Amino acid sequence: MTTPAYSVGVTEVEIDDEFWSGWVETNRDVTIEYQYERLESSGALENFRRAAAGETGGFSGMWFQDSDAYKWLEAASYELAKDDDPDLRERVDEVIDLVAAAQEDSGYIDTYLQLVEPDGKWTNLHLLHELYCGGHLIEAAVAHYEATGETSLLDVGRAFADHVDDVFGDELDGVPGHEEIELALVKLYRVTGERRYLDLAQYFVDLRGHEDRLAWETAHLDEIAGHAYSDVEQGRGDQIMDAGHNLFLEDGGYDGSYAQAHAPVREQDAVEGHSVRATYLYAAVTDIVAETGDEELWQAVQRLWENMTTKRTYVTGGIGPEHDHEGFTEDYDLPNETAYAETCAAIGSIFWNQRLFEHTGEAKYAALIERTLYNGFLAGVGLDGERFFYVNPLASSGDHHRKGWFTCACCPPNAARLFASLGQYCYAKREGELYVSQYVGSTLETTVDEIDVTVEQTSSLPWEGRVEVTVDADGAVPLNLRIPEWCVDATVTVDGEAVSTDGSGYARLDREWNGETIELVFEQQTRLTAAHPAVESDAGRVAVERGPLVYCAEAVDTDRPLHQYALPADADVESEHREDLLGGVTTVETEAAVPSLEGWADDLYRPVEETDIEDASLDLVPYFAWDNREPGEMAVWLRALDR
Amino acid sequence: MTTPAYSVGVTEVEIDDEFWSGWVETNRDVTIEYQYERLESSGALENFRRAAAGETGGFSGMWFQDSDAYKWLEAASYELAKDDDPDLRERVDEVIDLVAAAQEDSGYIDTYLQLVEPDGKWTNLHLLHELYCGGHLIEAAVAHYEATGETSLLDVGRAFADHVDDVFGDELDGVPGHEEIELALVKLYRVTGERRYLDLAQYFVDLRGHEDRLAWETAHLDEIAGHAYSDVEQGRGDQIMDAGHNLFLEDGGYDGSYAQAHAPVREQDAVEGHSVRATYLYAAVTDIVAETGDEELWQAVQRLWENMTTKRTYVTGGIGPEHDHEGFTEDYDLPNETAYAETCAAIGSIFWNQRLFEHTGEAKYAALIERTLYNGFLAGVGLDGERFFYVNPLASSGDHHRKGWFTCACCPPNAARLFASLGQYCYAKREGELYVSQYVGSTLETTVDEIDVTVEQTSSLPWEGRVEVTVDADGAVPLNLRIPEWCVDATVTVDGEAVSTDGSGYARLDREWNGETIELVFEQQTRLTAAHPAVESDAGRVAVERGPLVYCAEAVDTDRPLHQYALPADADVESEHREDLLGGVTTVETEAAVPSLEGWADDLYRPVEETDIEDASLDLVPYFAWDNREPGEMAVWLRALDR
């Protein structure tokens, strides 16, 4: 097997950061632990046992429940890579044994189909999630192999991929209703070097959205919808499947846009449909571009990214404003209180942008990852690591709160695998150069073009902009240090000697390294941000940002209802670090105005010239930390005076 | 029979007004005409025929369909009062004959129950509308009697009222789920002088909302819900009744607030529940206060009015923001785009305020009638008289439009009877004095304390503030001319001689009248209005008003999306009368600002200090006239700069 070309390995980075270590440790000690307990209590493992025993019926959970086990295996493998804990290894091995036992001789595995509809395999690619679950199996397999060097799960993943390769393009043509297998197959290609896995990923990408497929789907609507899923979830199966099915319908015909199947990928120019599906697909497409150099696909990916980031992304990095289909809508449609902005979609965006970053080395992709990590993603997880947002509104009247584990538990396990592999997002290697893309205190030990390199990083982000990077290498390795978009002034010195930066988004240091320390100072200023005039929800409003963080107002910090505050466009702002608050956060206090309550008496309406505003101040906390205190209103976009 | 003490008679006023005559004529020629055709095509008349023939089954329409016939009879009677058109009289008599024939010997009449559930009479007062329909029967009967002096319909109404009087308080205790009978019984008392009708009205008012009733309802929930209404509306009956039933439920128990039955009326202090029900009830309560001097009820009515007008009324006079229960919610909850503000509720508010005005002579009630008439009510009717809003939002993204006649046609017939009786709202008599309450060109011939009085009024409202009133009388009659709240300067002259006003809300002229002409000039200025700081939906916003009219922006008049406009609090404004537009309206052009589109390139977010605003202007039209041109966005509350 070849060494994976992909990113830095999760085994190569060890995180030790004031801000992030707490999250990563809570993820390991609380979230992944709970996730494991949940595998048993939810019946996910029992499904594998029953399938292994050749039983039928008695399936528990959502029809894509297998993916919970795979996501846990992936997250747990990342932890094993960092610390070979014998107890964890034993659990991982036990779960792998169950999965392996449940796999059929053909390589097929999907306990929902095996237990509930053994004759229904590959008959409903829209709604059943065989390829989606299989993709997570493969991602777990790759992670486990990279962490341990063992092939116990990789063999299962390969057998499944081989089976899919046998079935598809030969006896069956079709694309999954939820993309995931595509990016997994590229990962599998990268660890195995087997080209057919890459080709299979490209097969799924290229088949998607062609007119003849659309015609086929429309003609088979009844067949697609015709399954009886009555024993899933205590009789809720029908409802769930009906709801899922309706997402593919538009005026009685098939509409693939929910799953990005409305047009061939290479012809698409706006991000549409379910936003997790979209980002998983475009992550895979970016991988394929990186491997094949397919220029047409690359143009499409760039168009899609431009559309998403210039017209369909919240200031938090969140994406997909709409609840019913958990997805994208129209350009500039970014409602705040009703935002969906699913945590999983933020994670999907990080996956996609990491691949874009590794392919191009362009700082803008890493900048969006940073924005999404600290805001749209991180808000999804409570400070206790036990409660999660699926949905991340940018304003709340006070009735939106994190919940514990869900039946459809996509977000918590997805967050778990991102936290567990966070080190992979901090550095990248490409074309013989090393990139520091996220400023997270950590140690990297890697090899760049056969040169061993050690990087030690300490970081004061997100609260301050001071970073130290100490580098040792066996030879000359160009080092690219990303200059964050938000810093108003960046100074870079090597052992006290100033280095000039060129506006490329990087400080590039092309030299030999013998333990020199690079000091970076990114000056942070609290800043007020406006949205494009076309964004109705943010009209006449500003968001407050500081460094990589978006801030918000919470009722617990204010005397008045939030709607009464307005900020001057040139508001005086002060920040203060408070160790006692929310686990230690830097708060922002901004000048504001509120309506005078004088003279209103019992009036409901008055001539505006008889009303007045008066000075006030408003305390803000980082958006990621909201809903960790008393419940109440929250708002990111605050009314502006003079806008 | 005694002369009714109530208001001026509809026979006594003839309207001839530049603004209103068009509406009144369209109402007579188009709306009432269509309403009549609809009685046949909807099956409403056929229901009476079948009931008269002793048939069962085959009921058409909603279960309160009878009320459509009664509302038509009421509106048509008002027209007969003004002009005894033989064709109309013949139609009216035919319908009266049908109604009379359908009435049972006992006096009972409700064709839904008679045809569908003959054994279910008086068994479900919550959902079935026997008393509601009966109330409309009585209102029609009184109107017909007053218009024609004939008792053909009055006899039917009295027989029904007598039957209700026999049944209730004796074999049965209960209150209707939809108030209406109460105010009708007071009208019946006033034309007949029969005290027991007033007592019966008071019985229904006083029984409402007592704890023992609530306990009874809760204990009988199954019984209440247990009817099968399967043959109503092609099988929709169950659904409709279920939906209706659910409005009375809260956490599995009975909650009377939907029908103001959560507490005794004399203990209520906030307007709650379905807003049409609420206004009909409080109109009746005000009548009872006027007749009995019940001080405790009067205190309650005043509390309820204060609550409604200082915390729960749109600037248009509309009430009841919430869709699901068509009603009131919390103080200051006045959303614009999702406003319900049903046209019928605006009409109900006019009914209630007219009674308050007649009882007290206080100008504030007439002022609210004026606001509601010109805005919240009038918007409900299209310029063509053929299309109607149930729902009157104060902002629209462009998908809210008037519709033709509905199955549940409460608003159009309600509008028809208000237009047809508009003269009654222009004048009032109380304690030997005459009031001019609304400035609508008209002639009044009436008697005040046995003195014959003739008033001729010409008015330039709502476009200008010039009014002339010529009075002739057989003796001294004090005349009270209302000074509108919106006028910035009022001058009153009698035959050219200035009269001082005292700030009471009136110019009171206590003198003999021999054809003197009073000239009133109410100076109008376009003004910007702010809402109470507690109203979240209007925070940082202003509404534009001129005279009695609320204005709005419509997309058809603007270059930019409406959300991009902001008005300086001291905006320069100009008005212009345009005969070519919307049947002739005065438009307002206001200074505004819009965000500069410079420098945005492909940015979705930018530092606010790099953005700018630029001068613009915004054309506004009267709110009542919106949605009569190309579909598009509409907004009453516009963003304000510096607020």
Side-chain angles (χ1 to χ4, degrees), chain A residues 309-310 313-315 528-533 536 539-540 563-564 569 600 602-608 611 637 639 643, chain B residues 309-310 313-315 528-533 536 539-540 563-564 569 595 600 602-608 611 637 639 643:
Chain A
T309 57
T310 66
T313 301
Y314 286 100
V315 71
L528 270 55
T529 299
H532 191 283
E536 178 169 3
H563 71 261
Q564 295 192 17
W600 277 97
D602 260 353
D603 299 308
L604 184 51
Y605 303 103
R606 285 170 69 207
V608 72
T611 68
W637 289 97
R639 290 196 298 111
R643 277 299 181 284
Chain B
T309 56
T310 66
T313 300
Y314 286 100
V315 71
L528 270 55
T529 299
H532 190 284
E536 178 168 4
H563 70 260
Q564 296 192 17
W600 276 98
D602 260 352
D603 299 308
L604 185 51
Y605 303 103
R606 286 169 68 206
V608 72
T611 68
W637 289 96
R639 290 196 300 110
R643 275 298 182 282

Side-chain angles (χ1 to χ4, degrees), chain A residues 160-171:
Chain A
F160 179 80
D162 292 343
H163 177 61
V164 172
D165 193 33
D166 286 347
V167 170
F168 283 85
D170 190 5
E171 41 183 292

Side-chain angles (χ1 to χ4, degrees), chain A residues 531-542:
Chain A
H532 191 283
V535 182
E536 178 169 3
S537 309
D538 302 336
R541 291 180 180 269
V542 286

Side-chain angles (χ1 to χ4, degrees), chain B residues 241-547:
Chain B
M241 299 304 277
D242 279 355
H245 181 63
N246 287 337
L247 292 165
F248 286 99
L249 297 180
E250 180 76 26
D251 299 329
Y254 175 82
D255 175 24
S257 66
Y258 173 61
Q260 299 75 47
H262 53 292
V265 175
R266 55 189 71 231
E267 293 173 16
Q268 294 180 20
D269 46 28
V271 287
E272 304 289 356
H274 187 264
S275 46
V276 175
R277 284 170 164 80
T279 52
Y280 283 14
L281 171 64
Y282 302 135
V285 175
T286 307
D287 280 337
I288 290 168
V289 167
E291 296 297 340
T292 66
D294 186 323
E295 182 57 26
E296 195 179 32
L297 273 184
W298 177 230
Q299 293 299 326
V301 165
Q302 287 176 290
R303 280 197 309 274
L304 290 161
W305 189 87
E306 282 294 321
N307 170 256
M308 183 175 88
T309 56
T310 66
K311 298 182 177 67
R312 301 187 181 196
T313 300
Y314 286 100
V315 71
T316 56
I319 51 172
E322 209 267 337
H323 278 240
D324 286 347
H325 74 288
E326 304 175 308
F328 295 107
T329 54
E330 305 285 322
D331 288 349
Y332 302 114
D333 178 32
L334 296 164
N336 292 312
E337 188 160 353
T338 64
Y340 196 70
E342 188 181 338
T343 305
C344 278
I347 294 168
S349 173
I350 291 170
F351 291 163
W352 181 21
N353 278 282
Q354 181 69 3
R355 285 158 173 84
L356 288 163
F357 174 68
E358 290 170 348
H359 180 54
T360 64
E362 285 189 43
K364 65 183 180 184
Y365 302 116
L368 181 54
I369 290 173
E370 181 183 72
R371 177 177 290 278
T372 310
L373 263 182
Y374 279 104
N375 303 288
F377 160 67
L378 202 53
V381 186
L383 291 180
D384 58 7
E386 291 180 349
R387 302 180 76 78
F388 304 86
F389 282 140
Y390 256 91
V391 174
N392 292 280
L394 280 78
S396 170
S397 57
D399 53 3
H400 185 73
H401 307 297
R402 290 186 189 81
K403 298 194 183 102
W405 220 261
F406 318 84
T407 304
C408 174
C410 57
C411 299
N414 236 350
R417 63 190 186 125
L418 179 58
F419 277 128
S421 62
L422 185 64
Q424 291 194 304
Y425 297 86
C426 301
Y427 303 94
K429 300 181 292 188
R430 55 185 300 281
E431 298 177 0
E433 305 200 1
L434 187 62
Y435 288 74
V436 182
S437 47
Q438 303 300 336
Y439 292 104
V440 176
S442 54
T443 305
L444 168 71
E445 290 184 8
T446 192
T447 307
V448 179
D449 273 359
E450 298 182 2
I451 297 167
D452 289 336
V453 187
T454 304
V455 176
E456 291 197 27
Q457 183 186 167
T458 61
S459 165
S460 63
L461 262 65
W463 312 125
E464 300 301 333
R466 189 171 297 271
V467 175
E468 282 186 8
V469 177
T470 303
V471 190
D472 215 337
D474 290 346
V477 175
L479 184 67
N480 298 277
L481 298 143
R482 186 171 65 86
I483 311 293
E485 291 176 331
W486 45 258
C487 78
V488 286
D489 189 37
T491 59
V492 183
T493 55
V494 179
D495 283 347
E497 198 172 316
V499 173
S500 68
T501 58
D502 63 359
S504 67
Y506 292 102
R508 182 168 183 276
L509 304 173
D510 183 3
R511 51 171 291 168
E512 298 202 342
W513 298 101
N514 296 293
E516 289 83 357
T517 293
I518 310 154
E519 194 174 270
L520 303 108
V521 180
F522 305 128
E523 194 186 327
Q524 294 198 356
Q525 265 183 10
T526 302
R527 59 196 190 280
L528 270 55
T529 299
H532 190 284
V535 181
E536 178 168 4
S537 310
D538 302 337
R541 292 180 180 268
V542 287
V544 176
E545 299 185 273
R546 183 175 181 279

